[in-house]
Amino acid sequence: MGCFFSRRRKPAQGGQQQLQGAGQDAAAGEQKAPQYSWDLRAKIDPKDYTFSGLKNETVGRLPGKVAGQQFVIQDCEDCKIYIFDHSATITIDDCVNCQIFLGPIKGSVFFRDCKDCKCVVACQQFRTRDCRKLEVFLCCATQPIIESSTGMKFGCFQYYYPELALQFKDAGLSIFNNTWSNIHDFTPVSGENNWGLLPETAAVQDYVPLPSSEELKAVRVSTDAAKSIIPITRGQRQKNSDESCLAVFFAGDYTTANARKLIDEMTSKGFQLVQTKEVLMKAEDAHRVFQQSALEFIPLLEKGPVVALEFNGDGAVEQCQSTINEVFSGTKVFVSESKASASQDVDNFYNFADVQMGL
């Protein structure tokens, strides 16, 4: 940061004048003293980013109040906790019978020594250790990991409030990258299953109710699956049909909106969204995934990541083709050509995507 020295000046003739000059020099020096960014930065009070030792309370943070900081939740019992903002990382330790909502987390969320908690969580990495009976509606960009944990149940994240989409962006999370049901049990026990999936009919508000305090009610929350920021996917559940279809949108101004529109069109006709993915592709990837159609799509890959959707149901290929021709006639979209090729399309794309994302 540098040091500042003051030089003693010996008053001689016209000493008063020299002293005044020295004073002016000092004043000028004070005015020119550099300011550093760390001097200007607001001081962080850890208490503003911690919930600790609470019992039978409803607490939370409104949008904009966490703003990418780390957060700690510990030693809470019978509490309702809502973090309506994006954060860097969150640790949850020794919590019992709590209902928790955690907005988008740029890094990891780590539950330790918690039991009988119900949660809604969006994150890059999800991990539990020494936990029992956690029920989690999850959006996780990487494979969720449980360790020394039992009675774990998972469902697909479904939630909405107006600021949530921008918070996902601020946290660097894609709404299309969600491996919520692809759980890795780090400490499996022979003959036992430490985790399972929540019922398809499970409703978020039955697990983590809408906030009741006046302050938190100002956040306009909806748990309606149709409004969810994250598309509701079937994940690892058994597929209803042996027919799936792959549709791939390429980067552009309306990629997300187009993907959401196709999801709405297909699900309204009874087809199920199995999985989604947003990932960058190279020319060699296109040859592997799109086969003979690759040359048509390679120029589009330079614009950014693609968004891929897998739909399942009898007649999925024909319906997907028809919808794309009718609704997206001016947009280049890859769609499976036939039922015979569709299964290979799905495998080719998601095998590539999993390797690309290290899953």
Side-chain angles (χ1 to χ4, degrees):
M1 288 178 56
C3 301
F4 297 90
F5 298 95
S6 61
R7 189 185 305 161
R8 296 185 63 154
R9 303 183 66 174
K10 185 192 291 186
Q13 294 176 345
Q16 185 64 33
Q17 206 169 7
Q18 286 184 336
L19 284 171
Q20 286 177 344
Q24 289 168 353
D25 288 346
E30 286 177 13
Q31 289 173 358
K32 293 178 182 176
Q35 280 191 307
Y36 298 97
S37 59
W38 52 82
D39 294 326
L40 302 174
R41 192 181 302 151
K43 298 293 186 259
I44 299 297
D45 186 346
K47 293 197 296 295
D48 293 336
Y49 305 96
T50 304
F51 290 137
S52 181
L54 305 179
K55 192 166 184 177
N56 289 308
E57 291 193 46
T58 296
V59 294
R61 289 288 182 268
L62 294 171
K65 295 300 183 182
V66 179
Q69 297 295 327
Q70 298 181 15
F71 211 96
V72 174
I73 302 170
Q74 59 189 16
D75 299 310
C76 294
E77 186 174 351
D78 299 317
C79 289
K80 294 179 175 66
I81 299 169
Y82 305 87
I83 307 296
F84 290 129
D85 206 358
H86 69 104
S87 57
T89 61
I90 297 185
T91 55
I92 303 98
D93 292 332
D94 300 292
C95 289
V96 178
N97 197 35
C98 290
Q99 296 159 316
I100 301 171
F101 172 84
L102 302 178
I105 301 160
K106 185 172 187 175
S108 63
V109 59
F110 200 176
F111 288 82
R112 297 177 294 200
D113 297 289
C114 295
K115 63 180 180 180
D116 298 311
C117 291
K118 297 174 171 60
C119 313
V120 182
V121 178
C123 59
Q124 175 74 21
Q125 298 175 316
F126 176 92
R127 189 166 182 180
T128 71
R129 190 172 67 207
D130 299 317
C131 291
R132 184 163 58 86
K133 290 185 67 178
L134 265 57
E135 296 173 316
V136 185
F137 290 87
L138 180 63
C139 173
C140 187
T142 57
Q143 186 175 30
I145 295 173
I146 64 172
E147 180 181 358
S148 302
S149 299
T150 61
M152 312 290 287
K153 300 280 187 181
F154 295 91
C156 183
F157 181 104
Q158 42 194 285
Y159 219 77
Y160 170 85
Y161 53 87
E163 299 86 354
L164 189 53
L166 184 57
Q167 292 172 4
F168 265 88
K169 189 174 180 181
D170 287 341
L173 300 179
S174 167
I175 63 171
F176 296 109
N177 290 336
N178 185 9
T179 61
W180 67 270
S181 63
N182 186 21
I183 312 297
H184 176 67
D185 187 351
F186 202 69
T187 50
V189 177
S190 180
E192 296 181 23
N193 197 351
N194 292 322
W195 67 275
L197 302 182
L198 290 167
E200 282 188 74
T201 54
V204 168
Q205 67 271 17
D206 294 337
Y207 293 76
V208 180
L210 299 183
S212 56
S213 71
E214 287 304 315
E215 179 190 32
L216 296 174
K217 279 200 297 191
V219 182
R220 290 174 289 156
V221 172
S222 172
T223 56
D224 180 354
K227 291 184 177 180
S228 177
I229 288 292
I230 299 296
I232 311 303
T233 52
R234 193 163 179 78
Q236 302 281 327
R237 290 192 177 100
Q238 184 73 33
K239 295 178 183 178
N240 288 344
S241 167
D242 62 357
E243 181 176 350
S244 279
C245 179
L246 180 71
V248 180
F249 288 90
F250 298 86
D253 293 338
Y254 305 105
T255 306
T256 297
N258 287 343
R260 298 301 301 246
K261 177 67 174 172
L262 182 59
I263 291 169
D264 290 344
E265 292 282 340
M266 291 293 287
T267 54
S268 71
K269 293 177 172 66
F271 296 95
Q272 293 186 316
L273 181 64
V274 176
Q275 55 183 334
T276 65
K277 192 72 74 178
E278 182 172 11
V279 66
L280 287 165
M281 295 184 75
K282 298 175 182 175
E284 58 266 32
D285 305 321
H287 284 291
R288 189 159 60 249
V289 172
F290 302 134
Q291 306 283 314
Q292 63 269 29
S293 305
L295 292 177
E296 178 184 354
F297 298 112
I298 284 174
L300 304 175
L301 300 180
E302 296 178 1
K303 296 181 180 180
V306 303
V307 171
L309 314 170
E310 179 193 349
F311 295 101
N312 182 259
D314 293 343
V317 172
E318 184 180 350
Q319 184 59 59
C320 200
Q321 290 175 348
S322 172
T323 301
I324 286 171
N325 289 334
E326 290 173 14
V327 181
F328 307 100
S329 56
T331 303
K332 277 208 171 187
V333 185
F334 173 86
V335 61
S336 296
E337 286 188 6
S338 67
K339 179 181 175 180
S341 66
S343 178
Q344 192 61 52
D345 291 338
V346 170
D347 287 345
N348 286 345
F349 182 86
Y350 284 98
N351 288 340
F352 145 74
D354 287 348
V355 170
Q356 184 81 351
M357 300 186 74
L359 295 175

